[in-house]
Amino acid sequence: MDISTFNSYIKQPANLLQDADISLIKEISKEYPFFHSAHLIHAIAKNQTEGIFRQNDLKTAAIYSTNRIKLYNYLNNEKAIPIEKISDQKKDDRVNTVTIEKKEQNRKLIDKFIELNPSIKRPKAEFYSSTKMASRSIDEDPNNDFVTETLAEIHVKQNNYLKAIKIYKKLSLLNPEKSNYFAELIKNLKEKINE
């Protein structure tokens, strides 16, 4: 089968009525399995000769088809409308309306911004004071959950017994298996405070 004959079958599938041509197209589709037009023409030819589509031929044509809408149009003898043109026109209409709406919203937003004339007020930075920083470092944060035995020992060495007692109490709650040990340490610190 030459190219011009095959092209005429693609343009006018109704011309394909001879069994010899159908078998040639079947051979072409076997030789070039990804040539979707050959599968399509073969399915149309089977439909014309046998009157109904065979499921296998239709499934094969659908699998290899690049555009199933065109396949549907060919199989139902409908005039093939270029789908790309229709979808492009709908896209253009939607894009135009969306872009117009977005431009209008942006224009309104800019106008409102200009009308309000907002300004950014920065808080004045506090001058660094070493005495304030020192007092902050001494102050304990009541929500601070960072407690260790080492920190408590440091407070004991600095004679901050009340802080050490608070830390030992937290540690006894966190480590109930060592609560007797911490209770003894707390008792010793309270004795030191009473001296």
Side-chain angles (χ1 to χ4, degrees):
M1 177 178 294
D2 62 345
I3 295 173
S4 60
T5 308
F6 189 78
N7 283 338
S8 69
Y9 291 148
I10 291 175
K11 290 177 184 174
Q12 295 292 328
N15 296 340
L16 190 67
L17 291 175
Q18 300 171 3
D19 287 335
D21 292 339
I22 294 172
S23 62
L24 283 174
I25 296 214
K26 181 70 173 174
E27 288 176 24
I28 290 172
S29 65
K30 283 182 180 177
E31 189 173 343
Y32 304 102
F34 297 106
F35 184 35
H36 68 91
S37 296
H39 293 285
L40 176 65
I41 296 297
H42 182 259
I44 292 170
K46 283 291 193 173
N47 180 35
Q48 289 174 353
T49 57
E50 297 177 11
I52 57 169
F53 287 110
R54 288 182 28 211
Q55 284 291 349
N56 289 341
D57 295 331
L58 184 59
K59 285 180 184 178
T60 305
I63 289 170
Y64 288 106
S65 177
T66 57
N67 188 338
R68 290 191 179 178
I69 295 172
K70 286 183 181 179
L71 174 67
Y72 177 82
N73 290 338
Y74 276 123
L75 296 177
N76 291 314
N77 292 327
E78 295 178 10
K79 184 177 180 183
I81 301 168
I83 306 305
E84 294 82 15
K85 289 183 181 178
I86 293 172
S87 61
D88 288 344
Q89 184 180 9
K90 287 180 182 177
K91 283 181 188 175
D92 290 342
D93 292 344
R94 278 186 264 139
V95 168
N96 288 339
T97 56
V98 169
T99 53
I100 290 170
E101 289 173 3
K102 283 186 179 180
K103 285 181 181 179
E104 185 66 26
Q105 287 175 348
N106 288 342
R107 190 184 60 75
K108 286 180 181 178
L109 185 64
I110 291 169
D111 289 343
K112 184 177 179 182
F113 182 79
I114 291 171
E115 193 176 294
L116 293 175
N117 194 15
S119 61
I120 299 173
K121 295 179 183 175
R122 295 183 183 160
K124 291 187 177 183
E126 188 178 317
F127 186 73
Y128 178 78
S129 171
S130 59
T131 55
K132 285 184 182 178
M133 293 303 287
S135 66
R136 284 186 191 165
S137 69
I138 292 174
D139 293 340
E140 277 192 36
D141 184 14
N143 296 326
N144 188 4
D145 291 334
F146 179 71
V147 289
T148 62
E149 287 184 55
T150 308
L151 183 61
E153 290 170 6
I154 290 172
H155 283 298
V156 169
K157 288 180 181 177
Q158 293 177 348
N159 295 329
N160 292 329
Y161 299 130
L162 294 176
K163 290 182 182 179
I165 289 172
K166 286 181 185 177
I167 291 174
Y168 283 134
K169 285 181 180 178
K170 285 184 182 178
L171 286 171
S172 67
L173 293 174
L174 292 173
N175 301 316
E177 66 274 358
K178 293 175 76 177
S179 63
N180 291 335
Y181 169 72
F182 293 129
E184 186 66 31
L185 291 173
I186 292 170
K187 180 182 171 189
N188 292 339
L189 289 174
K190 285 183 179 179
E191 288 175 1
K192 285 185 180 181
I193 291 173
N194 291 336
E195 288 178 356

